[in-house]
Amino acid sequence: IQSSLSEIVDFDLSASLVIEDLSSGAAESVLTYYLQYPVTPVFLEATKDNLLDLFRKMAPALPENMRTLELHDKTYSADQAPLAGELASFFNVPLVVDGSIKGCLYVASCQPDAFDENHIRILYAVAKQASIALQRSQEFLLQERAHLEAVVEGMAEGVVLLNQQGLIHLSNPAGMKAFFQMGTRKISPDAHFTAIANTPLEDIQTQIQKNPE
């Protein structure tokens, strides 16, 4: 959607933010930049702060300590000149699923007054289609998760799946029992793990990659 948006709206940078509610009551987000020009890390950080500030005004209940995964979709060539200046125009459109704001579509330009009423109408139309696609995607993922949970629950082998933040994403009784046996004491939906049995998760991942069996 972001790549096709560039064909009808002239902007320097666009981004999308999608919020995922966690069982612990926290939230994490996926922030995807669509970059048509090279930009500096400082520029991206300023863009992120601006986007999140606008989004929090639409969704004030959003947790302050929300974790954000950043992805970059680059379309520029290696020898292209970097984007110069600061953002002078920007617009945020909410993505609504089941009556709740679950994200936003963001466009920005270094040119003042870059977006007119026609651009805004187009952005709202695109956001509506993106909201429908997001809702269908979330419904599919919920169905797949329910199926996976049913399969894992019945396995004799212990299963504990952690996400990138070290939160337990999926587990079964045998897996949780193994955690206790390995010396892991704190087990709760919002427990963050950096190690298992005093072994850092990064080392465990490296061992698995070297010896998948």
Side-chain angles (χ1 to χ4, degrees), residues 5 13 21 31 38 44 71 88 94 99 106 113 120-121 145 169 195:
L5 184 61
L13 178 149
D21 296 324
L31 174 58
L44 276 186
L71 304 174
Y106 173 91
D113 303 319
I120 294 173
R121 283 196 294 269
R145 180 181 174 85
H169 185 67

Side-chain angles (χ1 to χ4, degrees), residues 11 16 21 23 29 64-65 91 104 127 129 131 141 146 157 161 177 201 207:
F11 58 82
S16 64
D21 296 324
S23 57
S29 63
E64 289 291 336
N65 59 345
F91 196 75
C104 66
Q129 294 302 313
S131 296
L141 290 175
E157 298 83 358
L161 178 63
K177 181 179 179 180
L201 293 181
Q207 293 172 12

Side-chain angles (χ1 to χ4, degrees), residues 160-170 179 191 193 196 201:
V160 176
L161 178 63
L162 304 179
N163 65 14
Q164 292 181 329
Q165 288 75 36
L167 288 166
I168 295 178
H169 185 67
L170 187 67
F179 254 39
F193 294 93
I196 298 178
L201 293 181

Side-chain angles (χ1 to χ4, degrees), residues 86-164:
E86 298 180 351
L87 296 179
S89 304
F90 40 82
F91 196 75
N92 223 20
V93 186
L95 301 177
V96 181
V97 176
D98 291 333
S100 299
I101 297 177
K102 293 296 184 180
C104 66
L105 185 64
Y106 173 91
V107 293
S109 172
C110 292
Q111 300 297 322
D113 303 319
F115 309 116
D116 57 25
E117 292 184 5
N118 185 51
H119 292 139
I120 294 173
R121 283 196 294 269
I122 292 173
L123 289 171
Y124 269 102
V126 171
K128 183 177 180 179
Q129 294 302 313
S131 296
I132 294 173
L134 180 60
Q135 180 170 355
R136 290 175 177 171
S137 175
Q138 290 186 344
E139 290 173 350
F140 174 77
L141 290 175
L142 286 174
Q143 293 174 358
E144 289 298 303
R145 180 181 174 85
H147 174 70
L148 183 59
E149 286 177 343
V151 172
V152 169
E153 185 73 17
M155 294 176 61
E157 298 83 358
V159 176
V160 176
L161 178 63
L162 304 179
N163 65 14
Q164 292 181 329

Side-chain angles (χ1 to χ4, degrees), residues 186-206:
K186 183 182 179 183
I187 304 292
S188 65
D190 59 347
H192 289 254
F193 294 93
T194 58
I196 298 178
N198 296 323
T199 302
L201 293 181
E202 292 82 358
D203 293 349
I204 295 175
Q205 183 180 19
T206 300

